[in-house]
Amino acid sequence: MGRNPKFKSISGLKKTRGQAAVEMAFLVPLLMLLLFGVFQIARVFYLYHTLQKAVRGGAGLLARTSGVNYCDLGDPNLLAVENFIVFGNLQGVGSPIVQGLTPDLIQIIPERIQTGSTAVAACLCTSDADSCDVTNGGRAPDFVTINFGPAGFPVLVPFPYMNFGAIPLKVSVRMPVTSS
């Protein structure tokens, strides 16, 4: 009588188990790498969205606030907007909405439409009538732009056995100034 081909011998069964264990040993690190990568990408997108939302709220608040002296970095309105972006409140109390976010990273740029064109440029703080210095006879800017400077907000991406350094998130919002 011949052997039934439906039944494997015990040694063939052991070879199949060993092969599956080797395949799993190769696949688990690859799947873990993929899982960590997706998690880190999602975290970076979440941080970008959170920063974008905070900066948009701060720019909207500043654009609707009257009596702002954009040329004085110590103006209470500017400090309140920086606190709003960083802490989510005007007083600057509590913990930052994003770890590592400080008011020093925030850059507020008053801008004006250039006469005779549609180009927008940074508004100067001089004593002439076309400046943004309201204390010296200037007028309020047409736009206010808030960002994290040319370097952006640095986000560290921790990854096992690899160092990607800091990824700069360049968040910038421009709002038309509606107050005088």
Side-chain angles (χ1 to χ4, degrees):
M1 271 175 102
R3 296 171 86 193
N4 189 343
K6 291 182 181 179
F7 297 108
K8 291 186 178 184
S9 67
I10 293 178
S11 64
L13 194 58
K14 287 181 183 178
K15 287 180 185 177
T16 307
R17 287 182 189 164
Q19 181 181 357
V22 170
E23 288 175 0
M24 186 61 81
F26 282 120
L27 286 178
V28 166
L30 184 63
L31 290 173
M32 293 301 286
L33 184 70
L34 187 65
L35 178 69
F36 287 137
V38 169
F39 178 75
Q40 292 301 328
I41 289 171
R43 188 178 71 86
V44 168
F45 277 112
Y46 174 76
L47 286 174
Y48 182 84
H49 174 72
T50 303
L51 291 171
Q52 180 79 18
K53 189 175 174 182
V55 170
R56 190 179 321 116
L61 178 65
L62 188 60
R64 292 186 304 270
T65 304
S66 59
V68 178
N69 185 1
Y70 292 94
C71 294
D72 179 16
L73 297 178
D75 184 66
N77 295 313
L78 295 177
L79 297 175
V81 166
E82 288 175 353
N83 287 334
F84 183 77
I85 293 170
V86 174
F87 300 103
N89 59 58
L90 300 176
Q91 297 78 24
V93 295
S95 59
I97 59 167
V98 172
Q99 186 178 4
L101 183 61
T102 62
D104 301 341
L105 295 173
I106 298 170
Q107 185 177 39
I108 299 173
I109 305 167
E111 296 177 330
R112 174 144 317 125
I113 298 175
Q114 293 179 343
T115 309
S117 76
T118 58
V120 177
C123 190
L124 301 175
C125 292
T126 59
S127 60
D128 63 345
D130 199 33
S131 78
C132 287
D133 192 357
V134 293
T135 58
N136 288 329
R139 61 183 175 88
D142 297 322
F143 297 96
V144 62
T145 298
I146 299 179
N147 59 35
F148 294 111
F153 180 77
V155 176
L156 294 174
V157 181
F159 213 75
Y161 307 110
M162 299 173 110
N163 183 11
F164 292 110
I167 296 174
L169 296 182
K170 299 193 177 187
V171 178
S172 182
V173 173
R174 176 184 286 159
M175 286 272 180
V177 174
T178 57
S179 66
S180 54

